[in-house]
């Protein structure tokens, strides 16, 4: 089922991540970018509309044949669900209400989480901040696969299965790499989510509940949008740690494809990242980039030199502060 890939370990590097230095350079040359560091209040209304759209879908599928429930879960529900995880990503950076109202963002993230069916928002925020501060940090950045993933998913068929099971690995990886004590907000996130799920089941039954959960699992697994998981940091070119995608699916994903720009300026909302690229074009135009997430998924499976091991990893120096 395909040849075993050549790589047998991560790409260990002994340099700091490039984003902090590039941010300083860009701001020195283009200080007008600082004006983009403000909340995106339109995000609030987009998220509300997405929640309402999923609630409408829950109602509409309740009496459909099972084949149509599965069909719509993949064709529509998965897109909304994956898009909502990226709205939660925006909210984790306080893009909805701004840094001065951090708790408003946390509560709003719990609200945005509801149509996903599984508690996600608060835990994601805690681990995602580590990903930005300590990109590739051994034992800290849970975006890096485990050694087991790199060792086992080393053939074309196994890499395909790994892509299908991405939601599973993203859920359990933090518990393996960097478990953290459960916080009060995570308990609230869990209880709010369970209460919502029970209400949906009580009102509209098992088909609506299945549609909600299946949409989230399918949307984060073998799905065109899921190409961003691999496109962002997997090392298709040696020495390049972060990659941007400039294709049309950015319209559904709050411009998460502008990933070099996002890591350079994590406090700029996704809607303004294309403007960052335009202003500082000399820094971004010549970096490796993608125009198709589907091709990224295909190349990841078919290229025998690429695997979950194809990530830069670094030993962290000095004091490590985590959320």
């Amino acid at each position: 089922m395909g040849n075993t890939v050549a790589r047998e370990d991560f790409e260990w590097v002994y340099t700091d991540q490039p984003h902090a230095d590039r941010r300083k350079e860009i701001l020195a040359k283009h200080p007008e970018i600082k004006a983009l560091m403000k909340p995106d209040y339109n995000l609030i209304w987009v998220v509300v509309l997405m929640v309402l759209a999923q609630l409408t879908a829950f109602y509409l599928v309740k009496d459909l044949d099972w084949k149509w429930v599965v069909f719509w879960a993949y064709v529509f529900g998965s897109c909304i669900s994956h898009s909502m995880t990226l709205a939660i990503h925006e909210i984790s950076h306080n893009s909805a209400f701004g840094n001065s109202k951090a708790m408003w963002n946390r509560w709003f993230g719990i609200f945005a989480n509801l149509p996903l069916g599984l508690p996600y928002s608060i835990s994601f925020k805690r681990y995602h901040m580590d990903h930005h501060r300590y990109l590739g940090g051994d034992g800290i950045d849970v975006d890096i696969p485990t050694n087991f993933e790199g060792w086992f998913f080393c053939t074309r068929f196994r890499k395909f299965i790994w892509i299908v099971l991405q939601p599973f690995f993203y859920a359990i990886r933090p518990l393996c790499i960097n478990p953290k004590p459960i916080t009060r907000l995570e308990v609230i996130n869990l209880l709010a989510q369970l209460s919502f799920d029970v209400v949906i089941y009580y009102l509209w039954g098992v088909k609506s509940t299945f549609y909600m959960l299946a949409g989230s699992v399918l949307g984060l697994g073998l799905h065109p949008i899921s190409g961003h998981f691999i496109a962002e940091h997997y090392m298709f070119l040696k020495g390049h740690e972060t990659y941007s995608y400039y294709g049309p699916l950015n319209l559904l994903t709050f411009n998460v494809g502008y990933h070099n720009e996002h890591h350079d300026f994590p406090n700029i909302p996704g809607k303004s990242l294309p403007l960052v690229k335009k202003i500082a074009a000399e820094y971004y135009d010549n970096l490796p980039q993608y125009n198709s997430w589907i091709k990224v998924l295909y190349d990841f499976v078919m290229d025998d030199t690429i695997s979950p091991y194809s990530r830069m990893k670094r030993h962290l120096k000095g004091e490590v502060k985590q959320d």
Side-chain angles (χ1 to χ4, degrees), residues 257-284:
Y258 287 75
H259 217 65
N260 269 301
E261 295 85 347
H262 171 60
H263 271 266
D264 289 352
F265 299 99
N267 55 345
I268 293 180
K271 78 163 190 178
S272 297
L273 293 179
L275 189 53
V276 171
K277 180 181 182 295
K278 182 179 179 180
I279 293 172
E282 68 274 22
Y283 287 91
Y284 297 114

PDB file of all heavy atoms in Angstrom, residues 257-284:
ATOM      1  N   GLY A 257      -5.921  30.620   5.527  1.00  0.00           N
ATOM      2  CA  GLY A 257      -4.871  30.278   4.578  1.00  0.00           C
ATOM      3  C   GLY A 257      -3.715  31.262   4.578  1.00  0.00           C
ATOM      4  O   GLY A 257      -2.584  30.896   4.229  1.00  0.00           O
ATOM      5  N   TYR A 258      -3.984  32.496   4.961  1.00  0.00           N
ATOM      6  CA  TYR A 258      -2.914  33.507   5.044  1.00  0.00           C
ATOM      7  C   TYR A 258      -2.108  33.231   6.315  1.00  0.00           C
ATOM      8  O   TYR A 258      -2.127  34.007   7.274  1.00  0.00           O
ATOM      9  CB  TYR A 258      -3.517  34.912   5.069  1.00  0.00           C
ATOM     10  CG  TYR A 258      -4.078  35.367   3.734  1.00  0.00           C
ATOM     11  CD1 TYR A 258      -5.294  34.868   3.255  1.00  0.00           C
ATOM     12  CD2 TYR A 258      -3.395  36.294   2.959  1.00  0.00           C
ATOM     13  CE1 TYR A 258      -5.807  35.280   2.035  1.00  0.00           C
ATOM     14  CE2 TYR A 258      -3.903  36.717   1.735  1.00  0.00           C
ATOM     15  CZ  TYR A 258      -5.106  36.202   1.283  1.00  0.00           C
ATOM     16  OH  TYR A 258      -5.611  36.619   0.068  1.00  0.00           O
ATOM     17  N   HIS A 259      -1.377  32.114   6.304  1.00  0.00           N
ATOM     18  CA  HIS A 259      -0.860  31.612   7.567  1.00  0.00           C
ATOM     19  C   HIS A 259       0.472  32.228   7.965  1.00  0.00           C
ATOM     20  O   HIS A 259       0.735  32.413   9.157  1.00  0.00           O
ATOM     21  CB  HIS A 259      -0.761  30.086   7.533  1.00  0.00           C
ATOM     22  CG  HIS A 259      -1.114  29.480   8.845  1.00  0.00           C
ATOM     23  ND1 HIS A 259      -2.384  29.563   9.387  1.00  0.00           N
ATOM     24  CD2 HIS A 259      -0.357  28.813   9.760  1.00  0.00           C
ATOM     25  CE1 HIS A 259      -2.403  28.962  10.559  1.00  0.00           C
ATOM     26  NE2 HIS A 259      -1.188  28.504  10.826  1.00  0.00           N
ATOM     27  N   ASN A 260       1.329  32.542   7.012  1.00  0.00           N
ATOM     28  CA  ASN A 260       2.520  33.308   7.372  1.00  0.00           C
ATOM     29  C   ASN A 260       2.116  34.660   7.941  1.00  0.00           C
ATOM     30  O   ASN A 260       2.665  35.118   8.955  1.00  0.00           O
ATOM     31  CB  ASN A 260       3.425  33.487   6.152  1.00  0.00           C
ATOM     32  CG  ASN A 260       4.450  32.378   6.014  1.00  0.00           C
ATOM     33  OD1 ASN A 260       5.265  32.175   6.915  1.00  0.00           O
ATOM     34  ND2 ASN A 260       4.408  31.654   4.899  1.00  0.00           N
ATOM     35  N   GLU A 261       1.163  35.284   7.288  1.00  0.00           N
ATOM     36  CA  GLU A 261       0.678  36.583   7.742  1.00  0.00           C
ATOM     37  C   GLU A 261       0.063  36.474   9.140  1.00  0.00           C
ATOM     38  O   GLU A 261       0.254  37.345   9.990  1.00  0.00           O
ATOM     39  CB  GLU A 261      -0.352  37.134   6.748  1.00  0.00           C
ATOM     40  CG  GLU A 261       0.218  37.452   5.367  1.00  0.00           C
ATOM     41  CD  GLU A 261       0.272  36.252   4.420  1.00  0.00           C
ATOM     42  OE1 GLU A 261       0.103  35.095   4.884  1.00  0.00           O
ATOM     43  OE2 GLU A 261       0.485  36.463   3.213  1.00  0.00           O
ATOM     44  N   HIS A 262      -0.678  35.381   9.372  1.00  0.00           N
ATOM     45  CA  HIS A 262      -1.334  35.196  10.674  1.00  0.00           C
ATOM     46  C   HIS A 262      -0.306  34.994  11.786  1.00  0.00           C
ATOM     47  O   HIS A 262      -0.438  35.578  12.872  1.00  0.00           O
ATOM     48  CB  HIS A 262      -2.286  34.002  10.604  1.00  0.00           C
ATOM     49  CG  HIS A 262      -2.842  33.606  11.934  1.00  0.00           C
ATOM     50  ND1 HIS A 262      -3.606  34.471  12.705  1.00  0.00           N
ATOM     51  CD2 HIS A 262      -2.747  32.449  12.656  1.00  0.00           C
ATOM     52  CE1 HIS A 262      -3.953  33.867  13.829  1.00  0.00           C
ATOM     53  NE2 HIS A 262      -3.441  32.643  13.826  1.00  0.00           N
ATOM     54  N   HIS A 263       0.714  34.184  11.546  1.00  0.00           N
ATOM     55  CA  HIS A 263       1.720  33.974  12.586  1.00  0.00           C
ATOM     56  C   HIS A 263       2.580  35.214  12.793  1.00  0.00           C
ATOM     57  O   HIS A 263       3.059  35.450  13.906  1.00  0.00           O
ATOM     58  CB  HIS A 263       2.591  32.764  12.247  1.00  0.00           C
ATOM     59  CG  HIS A 263       2.032  31.480  12.775  1.00  0.00           C
ATOM     60  ND1 HIS A 263       2.401  30.937  13.987  1.00  0.00           N
ATOM     61  CD2 HIS A 263       1.104  30.638  12.253  1.00  0.00           C
ATOM     62  CE1 HIS A 263       1.737  29.813  14.186  1.00  0.00           C
ATOM     63  NE2 HIS A 263       0.949  29.608  13.147  1.00  0.00           N
ATOM     64  N   ASP A 264       2.774  35.987  11.749  1.00  0.00           N
ATOM     65  CA  ASP A 264       3.496  37.243  11.920  1.00  0.00           C
ATOM     66  C   ASP A 264       2.679  38.245  12.738  1.00  0.00           C
ATOM     67  O   ASP A 264       3.240  38.988  13.546  1.00  0.00           O
ATOM     68  CB  ASP A 264       3.824  37.857  10.553  1.00  0.00           C
ATOM     69  CG  ASP A 264       4.902  37.079   9.797  1.00  0.00           C
ATOM     70  OD1 ASP A 264       5.506  36.160  10.387  1.00  0.00           O
ATOM     71  OD2 ASP A 264       5.123  37.392   8.607  1.00  0.00           O
ATOM     72  N   PHE A 265       1.368  38.249  12.520  1.00  0.00           N
ATOM     73  CA  PHE A 265       0.492  39.231  13.174  1.00  0.00           C
ATOM     74  C   PHE A 265      -0.760  38.537  13.721  1.00  0.00           C
ATOM     75  O   PHE A 265      -1.865  38.713  13.201  1.00  0.00           O
ATOM     76  CB  PHE A 265       0.100  40.335  12.186  1.00  0.00           C
ATOM     77  CG  PHE A 265       1.262  41.110  11.651  1.00  0.00           C
ATOM     78  CD1 PHE A 265       1.788  40.811  10.407  1.00  0.00           C
ATOM     79  CD2 PHE A 265       1.852  42.112  12.412  1.00  0.00           C
ATOM     80  CE1 PHE A 265       2.876  41.518   9.914  1.00  0.00           C
ATOM     81  CE2 PHE A 265       2.943  42.828  11.927  1.00  0.00           C
ATOM     82  CZ  PHE A 265       3.459  42.525  10.674  1.00  0.00           C
ATOM     83  N   PRO A 266      -0.625  37.743  14.797  1.00  0.00           N
ATOM     84  CA  PRO A 266      -1.769  36.988  15.315  1.00  0.00           C
ATOM     85  C   PRO A 266      -2.873  37.850  15.907  1.00  0.00           C
ATOM     86  O   PRO A 266      -3.978  37.352  16.125  1.00  0.00           O
ATOM     87  CB  PRO A 266      -1.136  36.092  16.386  1.00  0.00           C
ATOM     88  CG  PRO A 266       0.141  36.769  16.753  1.00  0.00           C
ATOM     89  CD  PRO A 266       0.619  37.447  15.515  1.00  0.00           C
ATOM     90  N   ASN A 267      -2.589  39.139  16.158  1.00  0.00           N
ATOM     91  CA  ASN A 267      -3.611  40.027  16.692  1.00  0.00           C
ATOM     92  C   ASN A 267      -4.319  40.834  15.607  1.00  0.00           C
ATOM     93  O   ASN A 267      -5.069  41.767  15.906  1.00  0.00           O
ATOM     94  CB  ASN A 267      -3.016  40.973  17.746  1.00  0.00           C
ATOM     95  CG  ASN A 267      -1.826  41.760  17.214  1.00  0.00           C
ATOM     96  OD1 ASN A 267      -1.265  41.422  16.166  1.00  0.00           O
ATOM     97  ND2 ASN A 267      -1.446  42.805  17.927  1.00  0.00           N
ATOM     98  N   ILE A 268      -4.115  40.475  14.342  1.00  0.00           N
ATOM     99  CA  ILE A 268      -4.864  41.087  13.240  1.00  0.00           C
ATOM    100  C   ILE A 268      -5.909  40.094  12.771  1.00  0.00           C
ATOM    101  O   ILE A 268      -5.583  38.959  12.435  1.00  0.00           O
ATOM    102  CB  ILE A 268      -3.929  41.480  12.078  1.00  0.00           C
ATOM    103  CG1 ILE A 268      -2.993  42.608  12.515  1.00  0.00           C
ATOM    104  CG2 ILE A 268      -4.724  41.906  10.850  1.00  0.00           C
ATOM    105  CD1 ILE A 268      -2.023  43.081  11.435  1.00  0.00           C
ATOM    106  N   PRO A 269      -7.188  40.481  12.751  1.00  0.00           N
ATOM    107  CA  PRO A 269      -8.244  39.550  12.332  1.00  0.00           C
ATOM    108  C   PRO A 269      -8.036  39.043  10.905  1.00  0.00           C
ATOM    109  O   PRO A 269      -7.406  39.704  10.070  1.00  0.00           O
ATOM    110  CB  PRO A 269      -9.516  40.396  12.428  1.00  0.00           C
ATOM    111  CG  PRO A 269      -9.191  41.467  13.405  1.00  0.00           C
ATOM    112  CD  PRO A 269      -7.733  41.768  13.192  1.00  0.00           C
ATOM    113  N   GLY A 270      -8.594  37.865  10.648  1.00  0.00           N
ATOM    114  CA  GLY A 270      -8.428  37.235   9.351  1.00  0.00           C
ATOM    115  C   GLY A 270      -8.860  38.095   8.186  1.00  0.00           C
ATOM    116  O   GLY A 270      -8.239  38.051   7.114  1.00  0.00           O
ATOM    117  N   LYS A 271      -9.901  38.894   8.374  1.00  0.00           N
ATOM    118  CA  LYS A 271     -10.408  39.695   7.252  1.00  0.00           C
ATOM    119  C   LYS A 271      -9.376  40.700   6.752  1.00  0.00           C
ATOM    120  O   LYS A 271      -9.417  41.122   5.585  1.00  0.00           O
ATOM    121  CB  LYS A 271     -11.696  40.423   7.651  1.00  0.00           C
ATOM    122  CG  LYS A 271     -11.503  41.655   8.503  1.00  0.00           C
ATOM    123  CD  LYS A 271     -12.737  42.537   8.510  1.00  0.00           C
ATOM    124  CE  LYS A 271     -12.453  43.880   9.171  1.00  0.00           C
ATOM    125  NZ  LYS A 271     -13.620  44.776   9.146  1.00  0.00           N
ATOM    126  N   SER A 272      -8.402  41.080   7.606  1.00  0.00           N
ATOM    127  CA  SER A 272      -7.410  42.088   7.234  1.00  0.00           C
ATOM    128  C   SER A 272      -6.092  41.482   6.770  1.00  0.00           C
ATOM    129  O   SER A 272      -5.194  42.219   6.349  1.00  0.00           O
ATOM    130  CB  SER A 272      -7.139  43.029   8.417  1.00  0.00           C
ATOM    131  OG  SER A 272      -8.316  43.742   8.775  1.00  0.00           O
ATOM    132  N   LEU A 273      -5.948  40.172   6.829  1.00  0.00           N
ATOM    133  CA  LEU A 273      -4.671  39.558   6.447  1.00  0.00           C
ATOM    134  C   LEU A 273      -4.330  39.748   4.966  1.00  0.00           C
ATOM    135  O   LEU A 273      -3.152  39.922   4.629  1.00  0.00           O
ATOM    136  CB  LEU A 273      -4.665  38.079   6.830  1.00  0.00           C
ATOM    137  CG  LEU A 273      -4.688  37.808   8.342  1.00  0.00           C
ATOM    138  CD1 LEU A 273      -4.715  36.313   8.615  1.00  0.00           C
ATOM    139  CD2 LEU A 273      -3.493  38.463   9.042  1.00  0.00           C
ATOM    140  N   PRO A 274      -5.319  39.719   4.043  1.00  0.00           N
ATOM    141  CA  PRO A 274      -4.957  40.032   2.649  1.00  0.00           C
ATOM    142  C   PRO A 274      -4.350  41.421   2.492  1.00  0.00           C
ATOM    143  O   PRO A 274      -3.477  41.627   1.642  1.00  0.00           O
ATOM    144  CB  PRO A 274      -6.296  39.909   1.908  1.00  0.00           C
ATOM    145  CG  PRO A 274      -7.087  38.938   2.718  1.00  0.00           C
ATOM    146  CD  PRO A 274      -6.720  39.261   4.146  1.00  0.00           C
ATOM    147  N   LEU A 275      -4.796  42.361   3.319  1.00  0.00           N
ATOM    148  CA  LEU A 275      -4.233  43.709   3.256  1.00  0.00           C
ATOM    149  C   LEU A 275      -2.801  43.723   3.792  1.00  0.00           C
ATOM    150  O   LEU A 275      -1.941  44.447   3.275  1.00  0.00           O
ATOM    151  CB  LEU A 275      -5.113  44.682   4.045  1.00  0.00           C
ATOM    152  CG  LEU A 275      -4.788  46.174   3.912  1.00  0.00           C
ATOM    153  CD1 LEU A 275      -4.741  46.595   2.449  1.00  0.00           C
ATOM    154  CD2 LEU A 275      -5.823  47.003   4.673  1.00  0.00           C
ATOM    155  N   VAL A 276      -2.530  42.909   4.823  1.00  0.00           N
ATOM    156  CA  VAL A 276      -1.158  42.767   5.312  1.00  0.00           C
ATOM    157  C   VAL A 276      -0.256  42.276   4.191  1.00  0.00           C
ATOM    158  O   VAL A 276       0.837  42.810   3.960  1.00  0.00           O
ATOM    159  CB  VAL A 276      -1.102  41.791   6.508  1.00  0.00           C
ATOM    160  CG1 VAL A 276       0.352  41.473   6.875  1.00  0.00           C
ATOM    161  CG2 VAL A 276      -1.831  42.369   7.714  1.00  0.00           C
ATOM    162  N   LYS A 277      -0.715  41.254   3.477  1.00  0.00           N
ATOM    163  CA  LYS A 277       0.068  40.711   2.369  1.00  0.00           C
ATOM    164  C   LYS A 277       0.292  41.762   1.286  1.00  0.00           C
ATOM    165  O   LYS A 277       1.382  41.859   0.712  1.00  0.00           O
ATOM    166  CB  LYS A 277      -0.636  39.495   1.759  1.00  0.00           C
ATOM    167  CG  LYS A 277       0.123  38.869   0.586  1.00  0.00           C
ATOM    168  CD  LYS A 277      -0.640  37.683   0.020  1.00  0.00           C
ATOM    169  CE  LYS A 277       0.157  37.023  -1.115  1.00  0.00           C
ATOM    170  NZ  LYS A 277       0.336  37.894  -2.283  1.00  0.00           N
ATOM    171  N   LYS A 278      -0.723  42.557   1.015  1.00  0.00           N
ATOM    172  CA  LYS A 278      -0.597  43.582  -0.013  1.00  0.00           C
ATOM    173  C   LYS A 278       0.385  44.674   0.403  1.00  0.00           C
ATOM    174  O   LYS A 278       1.223  45.115  -0.399  1.00  0.00           O
ATOM    175  CB  LYS A 278      -1.973  44.193  -0.292  1.00  0.00           C
ATOM    176  CG  LYS A 278      -1.972  45.244  -1.390  1.00  0.00           C
ATOM    177  CD  LYS A 278      -3.378  45.774  -1.631  1.00  0.00           C
ATOM    178  CE  LYS A 278      -3.368  46.845  -2.732  1.00  0.00           C
ATOM    179  NZ  LYS A 278      -4.744  47.375  -2.980  1.00  0.00           N
ATOM    180  N   ILE A 279       0.305  45.109   1.653  1.00  0.00           N
ATOM    181  CA  ILE A 279       1.176  46.175   2.135  1.00  0.00           C
ATOM    182  C   ILE A 279       2.634  45.720   2.176  1.00  0.00           C
ATOM    183  O   ILE A 279       3.546  46.450   1.774  1.00  0.00           O
ATOM    184  CB  ILE A 279       0.727  46.642   3.536  1.00  0.00           C
ATOM    185  CG1 ILE A 279      -0.642  47.341   3.452  1.00  0.00           C
ATOM    186  CG2 ILE A 279       1.770  47.584   4.160  1.00  0.00           C
ATOM    187  CD1 ILE A 279      -1.252  47.660   4.808  1.00  0.00           C
ATOM    188  N   ALA A 280       2.835  44.486   2.671  1.00  0.00           N
ATOM    189  CA  ALA A 280       4.199  43.965   2.830  1.00  0.00           C
ATOM    190  C   ALA A 280       4.488  42.894   1.789  1.00  0.00           C
ATOM    191  O   ALA A 280       5.091  41.858   2.094  1.00  0.00           O
ATOM    192  CB  ALA A 280       4.385  43.419   4.237  1.00  0.00           C
ATOM    193  N   ALA A 281       4.117  43.163   0.563  1.00  0.00           N
ATOM    194  CA  ALA A 281       4.228  42.155  -0.498  1.00  0.00           C
ATOM    195  C   ALA A 281       5.649  41.648  -0.674  1.00  0.00           C
ATOM    196  O   ALA A 281       5.870  40.469  -1.003  1.00  0.00           O
ATOM    197  CB  ALA A 281       3.718  42.743  -1.819  1.00  0.00           C
ATOM    198  N   GLU A 282       6.625  42.503  -0.444  1.00  0.00           N
ATOM    199  CA  GLU A 282       8.015  42.087  -0.660  1.00  0.00           C
ATOM    200  C   GLU A 282       8.445  40.984   0.318  1.00  0.00           C
ATOM    201  O   GLU A 282       9.408  40.259   0.063  1.00  0.00           O
ATOM    202  CB  GLU A 282       8.961  43.284  -0.538  1.00  0.00           C
ATOM    203  CG  GLU A 282       9.110  43.881   0.852  1.00  0.00           C
ATOM    204  CD  GLU A 282       8.039  44.915   1.195  1.00  0.00           C
ATOM    205  OE1 GLU A 282       6.958  44.896   0.582  1.00  0.00           O
ATOM    206  OE2 GLU A 282       8.312  45.752   2.087  1.00  0.00           O
ATOM    207  N   TYR A 283       7.701  40.838   1.437  1.00  0.00           N
ATOM    208  CA  TYR A 283       8.030  39.799   2.412  1.00  0.00           C
ATOM    209  C   TYR A 283       7.301  38.483   2.131  1.00  0.00           C
ATOM    210  O   TYR A 283       7.766  37.421   2.569  1.00  0.00           O
ATOM    211  CB  TYR A 283       7.664  40.269   3.828  1.00  0.00           C
ATOM    212  CG  TYR A 283       8.608  41.311   4.364  1.00  0.00           C
ATOM    213  CD1 TYR A 283       8.351  42.675   4.165  1.00  0.00           C
ATOM    214  CD2 TYR A 283       9.760  40.955   5.051  1.00  0.00           C
ATOM    215  CE1 TYR A 283       9.222  43.632   4.651  1.00  0.00           C
ATOM    216  CE2 TYR A 283      10.632  41.910   5.545  1.00  0.00           C
ATOM    217  CZ  TYR A 283      10.358  43.254   5.338  1.00  0.00           C
ATOM    218  OH  TYR A 283      11.225  44.205   5.816  1.00  0.00           O
ATOM    219  N   TYR A 284       6.161  38.548   1.439  1.00  0.00           N
ATOM    220  CA  TYR A 284       5.317  37.371   1.306  1.00  0.00           C
ATOM    221  C   TYR A 284       5.254  36.778  -0.100  1.00  0.00           C
ATOM    222  O   TYR A 284       5.055  35.563  -0.248  1.00  0.00           O
ATOM    223  CB  TYR A 284       3.896  37.701   1.778  1.00  0.00           C
ATOM    224  CG  TYR A 284       3.825  38.081   3.236  1.00  0.00           C
ATOM    225  CD1 TYR A 284       3.464  39.375   3.619  1.00  0.00           C
ATOM    226  CD2 TYR A 284       4.132  37.155   4.223  1.00  0.00           C
ATOM    227  CE1 TYR A 284       3.411  39.726   4.960  1.00  0.00           C
ATOM    228  CE2 TYR A 284       4.088  37.495   5.563  1.00  0.00           C
ATOM    229  CZ  TYR A 284       3.720  38.788   5.931  1.00  0.00           C
ATOM    230  OH  TYR A 284       3.680  39.117   7.260  1.00  0.00           O
TER     231      TYR A 284
END
